[in-house]
Amino acid sequence: MSEPVPQHPVQSHQGAQEAPADPAHPARPPQPQHHAHPAVPAFHQQPRFDAVPERARWRYKPRRAFRLWHSKAIRAGILITVLALCALVILALVRAQTGTEGFLVGLGLATLPVPLLLAAFRWLDRVEPSPWRNHLFAFAWGAFAAALVAILANSFATRWIATATADPAGADTLGSTVVAPIVEESAKAAAIVLIFFFRRRDFTGIVDGVVIAGFTATGFAFTENILYLGTAFGEDQDLGFSGLPSVTAATFFVRIVMSPFAHPLFTVFTGIGFGIAALAGRHQRIRRIALPLLGLVLAMGVHALWNGSASFFGPWGFYVVYAAFMLPVFALLTWLTIWTRQRELRTISTELPAYAMAGWLTAAAPQALSSMKARTLARDFARRAHGPAAAHALLEYQRFATSLAFLRHRARRGTAGPDFVAREQELLHHMWQRRELAGPALTYAARATGRVWVPPPYRDYEGYNPYRR
């Protein structure tokens, strides 16, 4: 959907030329950087949006349907080339260790949990969804780049330790409990770091950190499972095992049935650390540095405990750690993530009514926008009434309104930054372009889901006579 450029230039609050006074559209006074209760801009039938930056400086941009060529050509080309080379090398290494038949068996079995895990993480990200390109990059980085680094670094470190100590068994134990957690979690964390710094506008909180970490770790586990399952199948072929007693069946049960969430669980700690850092203000430098490092250390520690469970606690150590630690931690992190998602919806219902009272939104819009069911109903309504393009425009409206609620929430907490007014007007400008479509659809959805009270149809009981012909 085309986006009109604002009719008035940027009006900076620090040293820029002021806009001429207009009695019909009074200018909004500059806001302090950290205001406890930021004021809502006055609403007019024809708002001016003087503070909206030029299009090149927009932070909240309308998203077109995903196509690779919409990215910057040079950076995208380099990134795709690097990931493609990593994919070719890692697939060649895995195939060399498993054989062609083992590789195909491992690929088929390792694919089974991937759609479920990705769908779960995508569901968590529905309130303010990140672009698909971020998720695809995270998954590809985990499956190809991080897995390649892990295989090469783990093999080199284990051989070096075995040569230095002349103890191959001890080297394997040390490699799996110390080297592997450090190498693998660092390699997976690189994807989170890249998105955190180069796609900062899409990384706004804990949910974003969890989702990016989950996609990266799911990709990593996918490649690792191909290797383990393919190797197990090769052993069964050599030993003549098949069926339930086979090594392949045991490996499948442990890695695919019991613990498909293991690698995502480890890396989620790193994602939470970066997510909390994203919520910190610019002046909280210690928090922004320490928390991601703490999350990475926790990820390494949990990974080391998982890998060393059999070595540390005996033959039943794996099941002890699984039942006493992994499952409770998994349940706790799942609850934390879902609670954070619900808190995001509560933030929308808390922050947007101020804009509705000022006239920027319809009265029912905040309630509809704070319900995922109502959002879906509103898009369906727009699609039935005006077609697919209208549904996409409404989806953009929902995303801009969500960003506006989060921006205002950060402003109340003093972490919005000095460009709060410009970003607020930028979002209001985008929403204004879609107001005529969004208003009726959101009002319908809020009423259909019971988010707002609808009075019953009027009936004149005093004049009603059922015996009157």
Side-chain angles (χ1 to χ4, degrees), residues 412-427:
R412 289 203 301 113
R413 297 174 61 246
T415 60
D419 60 347
F420 166 71
V421 173
R423 299 309 175 188
E424 180 188 47
Q425 289 205 18
E426 178 186 339
L427 289 167

Side-chain angles (χ1 to χ4, degrees), residues 19-250:
D22 186 348
H25 302 85
R28 178 183 176 185
Q31 299 295 317
Q33 294 185 11
H34 305 298
H35 199 287
H37 298 283
V40 175
F43 173 77
H44 301 285
Q45 292 299 324
Q46 295 296 328
R48 289 174 47 158
F49 304 110
D50 291 328
V52 177
E54 63 270 16
R55 188 184 184 93
R57 295 179 55 204
W58 281 356
R59 177 178 299 177
Y60 305 97
K61 299 180 180 180
R63 294 175 186 163
R64 294 172 284 183
F66 172 74
R67 293 184 179 88
L68 184 61
W69 52 87
H70 285 166
S71 304
K72 300 296 183 181
I74 296 179
R75 288 185 295 178
I78 295 174
L79 184 62
I80 293 171
T81 302
V82 171
L83 291 177
L85 291 175
C86 291
L88 292 175
V89 174
I90 190 67
L91 292 178
L93 290 176
V94 172
R95 180 182 173 278
Q97 295 188 41
T98 61
T100 301
E101 191 175 359
F103 173 80
L104 294 177
V105 171
L107 177 63
L109 297 177
T111 304
L112 296 178
V114 172
L116 298 177
L117 290 171
L118 297 186
F121 286 113
R122 188 66 181 178
W123 176 84
L124 291 174
D125 199 38
R126 285 183 63 199
V127 177
E128 191 184 22
S130 300
W132 266 108
R133 62 177 178 269
N134 291 354
H135 294 167
L136 290 176
F137 163 76
F139 182 84
W141 181 275
F144 306 135
L148 178 61
V149 170
I151 288 181
L152 297 178
N154 289 342
S155 301
F156 173 80
T158 302
R159 287 198 300 268
W160 182 83
I161 294 173
T163 302
T165 61
D167 183 9
D172 290 338
T173 302
L174 188 61
S176 63
T177 58
V178 177
V179 176
I182 294 176
V183 171
E184 294 176 8
E185 294 308 319
S186 298
K188 289 183 286 184
I192 305 174
V193 172
L194 291 173
I195 294 178
F196 183 83
F197 285 104
F198 292 99
R199 287 290 183 267
R200 185 66 180 81
R201 65 177 179 271
D202 301 325
F203 205 124
T204 59
I206 295 176
V207 171
D208 292 315
V210 169
V211 171
I212 294 301
F215 269 76
T216 306
T218 300
F220 183 90
F222 170 67
T223 301
E224 190 178 66
N225 286 337
I226 296 175
L227 177 60
Y228 277 91
L229 290 166
T231 303
F233 179 81
E235 294 179 10
D236 289 333
Q237 293 292 100
D238 294 337
L239 299 176
F241 293 157
S242 63
L244 293 179
S246 64
V247 180
T248 304

Side-chain angles (χ1 to χ4, degrees), residues 60 127-129 344-345 347-353 355 360-362 365-370 375 393-409 423-424 426-432 434 438 442:
Y60 305 97
V127 177
E128 191 184 22
E344 290 183 340
L345 294 174
T347 299
I348 295 172
S349 64
T350 301
E351 301 294 347
L352 290 186
Y355 295 96
W360 291 104
L361 288 77
T362 60
Q367 295 303 318
L369 290 167
S370 60
R375 287 185 174 207
L394 184 55
L395 176 62
E396 289 182 329
Y397 184 95
Q398 293 172 348
R399 289 172 173 171
F400 292 135
T402 302
S403 298
L404 179 63
F406 292 166
L407 179 67
R408 181 174 175 82
H409 181 67
R423 299 309 175 188
E424 180 188 47
E426 178 186 339
L427 289 167
L428 289 173
H429 166 254
H430 292 320
M431 294 169 63
W432 178 258
R434 300 158 177 82
L442 292 173

